[in-house]
Amino acid sequence: MIRNTEQFISYFGSIRRRTLNYARVVPDSHINWAPEEGEFTCADILRHIASAEKMFVHVVTHGKWYYGGHNDDKQQTLESLLKLLDETHSEAMLALSTVSDEELDQYRPAFEGETQVKVWRWLMAMAEHEIHHRSQLAMYLRLMEITPPHIYGLGVEDLIARSTQ
């Protein structure tokens, strides 16, 4: 359970930094690559992460759902997508910083119907959503035969080697 907005913003910043580590590994030549027709491209994943962050923060701050979608600009470079993620994240976290700790236990609407969900749960859903798409990006990298970065700087091989010492 989240009890402090400022601490969540810091936590979510660490999630975004790790996501960016994966995004930076995507070659510009493969930014519009997808494993098959009709699937998100690498660029689509990054644009979707930015749009979804806005969506989650909007429901928390305004009590209404709004998903603006994302464009399908095949000309966007990795550099421009990283800039988009950075700008969107800065704006979203600034908006989120206006949410008091007391509001974390208030309710906001679910996607459909009359159900209400506490703000802190929507923030955790935002984190889970980004982690899901980061994992998708990691799988795309593997399918491109690119080794994704280790999430915390060490791989399982490193942990095994250090455990035997």
Side-chain angles (χ1 to χ4, degrees):
M1 179 180 317
I2 300 167
R3 290 278 177 222
N4 182 285
T5 303
E6 187 177 318
Q7 287 176 350
F8 176 79
I9 289 169
S10 176
Y11 164 72
F12 195 72
S14 66
I15 288 174
R16 178 54 56 89
R17 280 190 298 279
R18 288 188 290 276
T19 298
L20 293 174
N21 287 341
Y22 283 72
R24 287 184 188 104
V25 177
V26 177
D28 266 323
S29 61
H30 285 70
I31 198 67
N32 291 307
W33 182 89
E36 60 183 55
E37 188 69 32
E39 296 290 326
F40 271 178
T41 65
C42 296
D44 289 333
I45 291 171
L46 299 177
R47 287 188 288 260
H48 174 67
I49 287 171
S51 291
E53 181 179 34
K54 286 182 187 181
M55 175 189 72
F56 280 107
V57 171
H58 191 267
V59 76
V60 165
T61 58
H62 292 85
K64 296 178 184 175
W65 286 101
Y66 175 75
Y67 180 69
H70 60 271
N71 66 37
D72 191 19
D73 183 356
K74 301 286 190 223
Q75 302 305 310
Q76 274 187 297
T77 64
L78 178 58
E79 183 179 331
S80 69
L81 290 164
L82 293 172
K83 183 177 178 187
L84 170 70
L85 283 166
D86 184 51
E87 290 172 356
T88 300
H89 181 70
S90 293
E91 291 169 10
M93 294 304 103
L94 182 62
L96 197 55
S97 72
T98 67
V99 175
S100 70
D101 294 344
E102 293 74 30
E103 286 178 272
L104 296 171
D105 276 328
Q106 292 179 1
Y107 288 90
R108 300 295 187 262
F111 295 117
E112 297 179 357
E114 299 294 318
T115 306
Q116 297 280 306
V117 177
K118 286 190 176 186
V119 165
W120 71 265
R121 288 188 179 272
W122 282 131
L123 295 176
M124 291 307 296
M126 179 172 74
E128 185 175 348
H129 177 268
E130 179 148 335
I131 293 165
H132 161 75
H133 286 294
R134 180 196 314 143
S135 297
Q136 184 181 16
L137 193 58
M139 180 55 68
Y140 279 28
L141 290 167
R142 291 300 304 144
L143 292 171
M144 288 185 264
E145 299 184 356
I146 297 170
T147 302
H150 295 301
I151 192 161
Y152 298 112
L154 295 174
V156 70
E157 307 82 12
D158 302 315
L159 297 174
I160 292 169
R162 289 180 182 195
S163 303
T164 59
Q165 297 174 356

